[in-house]
Amino acid sequence: MLRGPAGAWAVLGPLLWGCGLALLQGGMLYPRESRSRERKELDGLWRFRADFSDNRRQGFEQQWYRAPLRESGPTLDMPVPSSFNDVGQDGQLRSFVGWVWYEREITLPQRWSEDLGMRVVLRIGSAHYYAIVWVNGVHVVEHEGGHLPFEADVSKLVQSGPLSSCRITIAINNTLSPHTLPPGTILYKTDPSKYPKGYFVQDTKFDFFNYAGLHRSVLLYTTPTTYIDDITVTTDVDQDIGLVNYQIVVQGSDHFQLDVCLLDEEGKVVAKGAGAQGQLQVPSAHLWWPYLMHEHPAYLYSLEVKLTAQTAVGPVSDFYTLPVGIRTVAVTESQFLINGKPFYFHGVNKHEDADIRGKGFDWPLLVKDFNLLRWLGANAFRTSHYPYAEEVLQLCDRYGIVVIDESPGVGIMLVESFSNVSLQHHLQVMEEMIRRDKNHPAVVMWSVANEPASSLKPAGYYFKTLIAHTKALDPSRPVTFVTNTKYDADLGAPYVDVICVNSYYSWYHDYGHMEVIQLQLATQFENWYEAYQKPIIQSEYGADAIAGFHQDPPLMFSEEYQKGLLEQYHVVLDQKRKEYVVGELIWNFADFMTDQLPGRMIGNRKGIFTRQRQPKSAAFLLRERYWKLANETRYHWSAVKSQCVGSSLFTV
């Protein structure tokens, strides 16, 4: 991601991202209300049933989607968004593998069903893992993969005649195969002396629970029949002039006019443009800076797009507003640069995981997590190990929290998972992920996978192809994957821009011997840098600690051991960050649920916060460290304090 002078980028930049955009078909703009658009959220209680038949196919054999679900048998109330696993008291449902069915009947506004100039779209924020959707018994869309949204234009169905209600049915299958992301296998237990006939379990190679269901909002939204389908924005800086390159895709008509204006935070127009593609120049631009890197971080402009078209039924207008942060990202042999200044990632890895709701989106929990991140002084996190909800990235944009945006490529351990079938699906997932997240200034790097078996022979071609495709889709950001393979055996590392390495010294080996950490960690960094001459992020490190367990001298699983292990890592990180280490991300922000294993006591306990978001001793250690690191950034500390008088967020 090395760039030449900003002036050259001003010319070449639009050409590069224009080529990348050509590879993406169809937009996935976040459904915002505007003068021309409405939205109707369908969150709440849905009817629900798991298909416990032996082949899990009874729902299709009996065509449950053709009539209200209650007519084919008993149903449960299921909140959306949520995972279905932990809501009830049925142990069978918690570990269920196969098809589950959701249904919701809604009443549409009269104008939605009568106005033929209006387009009605059904959007599912995330359905894990494979989903089939019907509206009033009519098949409308299928989608493979959790964590990313998909849509269906249902205008013809809801405008086909007078409708008092609309029935939405969604069947979801959480079964994982060697070719899904993440992969998994079904293990059939055939010993009749141990297992009943037809007994099977889902086996995975990742360390978090395979929660399933409708994890994010389901909603309906409207647009005109001629509408703004997609907007792509990239930014750069030429001296003090901010450059906003935009490209807009319109669907429904070839005869239209586009007007674009950029507004600052006070609502003042700072630049105007016209047409489907162009560049806006912003003199004395306010740049988007990460949290604690500038006295005014996370500055967002608003790009207002107005579409005017002439149609058979008369003039049509569509409006869409996109938040825009002007910033640059670049990588050298030893630095990660944001706006030309060295940036050091000091933050966390996270999971979308909480009591009862599982991976279901929850606003209070999200705001609590961001308050904890700011309390810590964390400036970054990785979306381990899948794309998070769009609302998460929106808050990152607003608060200046930098994001390494990771695909669901976790647990890729089998040779079959490096096949062409798997690769094709992985390429598609990256397209969907970039289509959704490309405009977020907080997203500074793509991660295509976590801890794959990258020493296997097929891994070289797999990651060469995957990373090249990701770079073609978005030339403006560096690309990485997170490895735990040895530096001299990793066949994918030659293709990344930044080395992200996970290590758990004195935890998964040399148990209890913290005295070896400094030597082993220093050797790790030196080997990787000598081999690749690329900046390095310690993308995971940590130890389990059960809140309230104390031992002195420290013993494993005590809070003292977790804290002591982190301190040993920090000694080496402080040495190497002066050279080529550009970040440290603790594993993990909070305790999270896993499969049941002898080494997991109701989940993974490596969080510095409990699953209920209460701090362990390590949280206070990291808070002191992160604020010290923030104090070393480019701007004067007093400037921050003057902006936040009385705020406990800025008191250490």
Side-chain angles (χ1 to χ4, degrees), residues 574-600:
D574 282 340
Q575 296 167 358
K576 299 303 181 182
R577 66 187 174 89
K578 298 173 184 177
E579 302 175 46
Y580 46 75
V581 170
V582 297
E584 57 190 77
L585 303 176
I586 187 70
W587 188 268
N588 192 284
F589 173 74
D591 295 345
F592 57 91
M593 189 53 63
T594 66
D595 284 339
Q596 298 183 66
L597 297 166
R600 292 284 176 255

Side-chain angles (χ1 to χ4, degrees), residues 404-464:
I404 301 173
D405 202 353
E406 188 162 272
S407 85
V410 58
I412 305 176
M413 305 299 291
L414 302 174
V415 173
E416 305 97 289
S417 297
F418 288 100
S419 69
N420 286 337
V421 174
S422 297
L423 177 58
Q424 188 60 41
H425 179 51
H426 206 151
L427 296 173
Q428 177 64 31
V429 168
M430 292 310 302
E431 290 181 13
E432 292 185 23
M433 181 172 154
I434 292 172
R435 182 186 295 119
R436 191 195 74 165
D437 295 345
K438 61 189 174 183
N439 293 321
H440 289 285
V443 175
V444 300
M445 184 158 56
W446 305 113
S447 171
V448 300
N450 176 77
E451 295 187 356
S454 48
S455 63
L456 295 178
K457 186 175 181 180
Y461 174 78
Y462 188 97
F463 284 107
K464 179 180 181 180

